[in-house]
Amino acid sequence: YLWNDALPTLDPDAVARRYASNAVLLPTVSDIPRTDYDSIRAYFVDFLQKKPQGVILESYATCGEGWCKDVGIYEFTMGATGDKVKARYSYVYVYEGGEWKIAHHHSSVMPEALLAAASTPNGAETVEA
C-alpha cells in the first residue's frame, strides 16, 4: 500500500521513490515503458494532475526471500473529473536499501471495457430483433 499511499500526496517524487533503482513501469495511460527514475517521475507528473484515488478490488500476492509479487485488479477514481478506470495490475517488489521497492509495475485497462466500447459505433446501443 505504500505506492497507493503516495498517490494522494500528488507529489511525483514521492511516488517515483517507491520504485527500485532498476525498475520498469508499463503504465496504464502511456505507451512508453518507463525504465529510470526520471521517466517514471515524468509519467506521474501528468497522472497525478488527475488526482487519482486507487482501490484494490482483487489481489493475489506471493512472497519469497527478498521479493514479493502482487497481481490483481484495481480501480481509480480521478478526483479531477470523477472518471473511473478499472485496470489489471502486476507488481514485483524487491527489498532494496532497507525498504520494499517496486521493480516491475504493469497496468492495463480491462480489455472487456475496451471491446464493449469498440463494438458499438458512437456508443449506440445494439438492438436484437
Side-chain angles (χ1 to χ4, degrees), residues 29-30 32 41 48 60-62 67 79 82 90 105 110 128:
V29 292
S30 172
I32 302 167
R41 182 190 183 282
L48 291 174
Y60 306 92
T62 304
W67 65 272
S90 61
H105 177 188
M110 297 295 280
E128 307 237 351

Side-chain angles (χ1 to χ4, degrees), residues 11-64:
D11 177 357
D13 286 302
V15 179
R17 282 192 299 268
R18 299 306 324 141
Y19 289 81
S21 58
N22 63 346
V24 175
L25 166 63
L26 303 172
T28 312
V29 292
S30 172
D31 292 339
I32 302 167
R34 311 302 173 124
T35 59
D36 60 29
Y37 182 88
D38 290 336
S39 64
I40 291 169
R41 182 190 183 282
Y43 173 76
F44 286 109
V45 166
D46 294 332
F47 185 66
L48 291 174
Q49 290 179 8
K50 298 173 184 170
K51 299 181 179 175
Q53 301 164 359
V55 176
I56 295 172
L57 304 176
E58 294 181 40
S59 172
Y60 306 92
T62 304
C63 293

Side-chain angles (χ1 to χ4, degrees), residues 27-129:
T28 312
V29 292
S30 172
D31 292 339
I32 302 167
R34 311 302 173 124
T35 59
D36 60 29
Y37 182 88
D38 290 336
S39 64
I40 291 169
R41 182 190 183 282
Y43 173 76
F44 286 109
V45 166
D46 294 332
F47 185 66
L48 291 174
Q49 290 179 8
K50 298 173 184 170
K51 299 181 179 175
Q53 301 164 359
V55 176
I56 295 172
L57 304 176
E58 294 181 40
S59 172
Y60 306 92
T62 304
C63 293
E65 177 125 4
W67 65 272
C68 284
K69 70 176 175 82
D70 181 16
V71 299
I73 298 169
Y74 49 28
E75 183 174 66
F76 290 98
T77 301
M78 303 305 170
T81 63
D83 292 344
K84 289 185 181 271
V85 177
K86 189 183 286 189
R88 301 178 289 189
Y89 70 83
S90 61
Y91 289 94
V92 175
Y93 299 93
V94 295
Y95 201 68
E96 178 180 283
E99 293 184 281
W100 287 103
K101 300 279 189 161
I102 301 164
H104 162 90
H105 177 188
H106 175 257
S107 182
S108 58
V109 174
M110 297 295 280
E112 292 83 2
L114 295 174
L115 293 172
S119 69
T120 56
N122 300 325
E125 287 187 39
T126 50
V127 178
E128 307 237 351

